[in-house]
Amino acid sequence: RRVFIEPVEALRPSKLVYMVGNHEDWLQDLVDENPGIEGLVDLKKLLKLDKWDIIEQGGVFNLGKLTFVHGDTVSGGEHVAKSAVVSYERNIRFGHHHTYQAYTKNSPISYKLGKTGICVPCLCTKTPKYGEGKPNKWVQGFNYGYSDSTTYTDYVATIIDGQFTAHGKTYRG
């Protein structure tokens, strides 16, 4: 909570949204293995998400012309960003696949902006223990931006060797 939730709340955004993903299933697995803790292990209580809207796993959140999903509902493979645009037919942003990809689908007969899909990088280690040191295509980073009812601008910041640059300033952590 101290590392992620509190700094985001300190920004005082107009809306706070927490999208439940597949990793939160581990809490239910813990309860299933230890029935005595049922009722004690609750995501909203543990992270103190009273100010947040919770989007359940598999759910969709729309913000102006952008759609957000966790990403576990997007088929994997080599071209996940394309798969998301083709499946959802929307401007879509999602994680889950631990990599960074972008795809745009334009219409040859429409002057309007096409549909864009971005697979957002992960905020986790690039070398998980279960990977046993095998190479992977994981990328560290995050997505941020601005949106209203008519337009949006978003950016993907990639984290390389513990640092990233946003709006001309380099952050190290």
Side-chain angles (χ1 to χ4, degrees):
R1 177 161 175 47
R2 182 179 48 84
V3 173
F4 180 75
I5 302 293
E6 290 174 10
V8 170
E9 289 177 347
L11 294 172
R12 299 189 188 273
S14 58
K15 187 164 190 80
L16 293 163
V17 177
Y18 186 99
M19 296 198 80
V20 175
N22 58 302
H23 291 202
E24 283 81 357
D25 287 345
W26 298 344
L27 291 174
Q28 188 57 50
D29 292 346
L30 180 65
V31 171
D32 291 346
E33 292 170 11
N34 303 280
I37 64 170
E38 187 166 359
L40 299 174
V41 180
D42 176 80
L43 180 71
K44 193 168 186 169
K45 289 178 186 173
L46 287 171
L47 295 179
K48 299 177 185 167
L49 297 175
D50 299 330
K51 302 174 190 171
W52 295 66
D53 288 339
I54 309 290
I55 308 297
E56 293 300 326
Q57 186 171 359
V60 172
F61 174 70
N62 292 303
L63 181 63
K65 294 186 178 284
L66 285 175
T67 296
F68 296 86
V69 298
H70 171 73
D72 54 342
T73 56
V74 177
S75 297
E78 189 67 25
H79 306 286
V80 293
K82 179 179 180 180
S83 177
V85 172
V86 169
S87 295
Y88 284 85
E89 283 292 324
R90 303 192 53 91
N91 295 303
I92 188 162
R93 306 298 183 260
F94 61 98
H96 182 74
H97 296 274
H98 299 251
T99 193
Y100 175 39
Q101 281 188 15
Y103 177 78
T104 302
K105 179 183 175 191
N106 286 313
S107 168
I109 58 172
S110 175
Y111 64 91
K112 293 182 181 181
L113 177 65
K115 308 283 190 261
T116 61
I118 295 179
C119 181
V120 178
C122 60
L123 286 172
C124 62
T125 180
K126 289 174 37 178
T127 55
K129 283 185 179 179
Y130 64 82
E132 300 174 349
K134 296 175 185 167
N136 61 50
K137 60 181 181 175
W138 290 16
V139 177
Q140 292 176 319
F142 58 93
N143 178 266
Y144 68 99
Y146 312 91
S147 178
D148 62 30
S149 62
T150 61
T151 188
Y152 63 89
T153 301
D154 62 333
Y155 307 91
V156 173
T158 54
I159 300 170
I160 301 169
D161 295 329
Q163 64 184 22
F164 69 93
T165 302
H167 299 299
K169 182 176 177 185
T170 299
Y171 299 84
R172 293 172 177 81

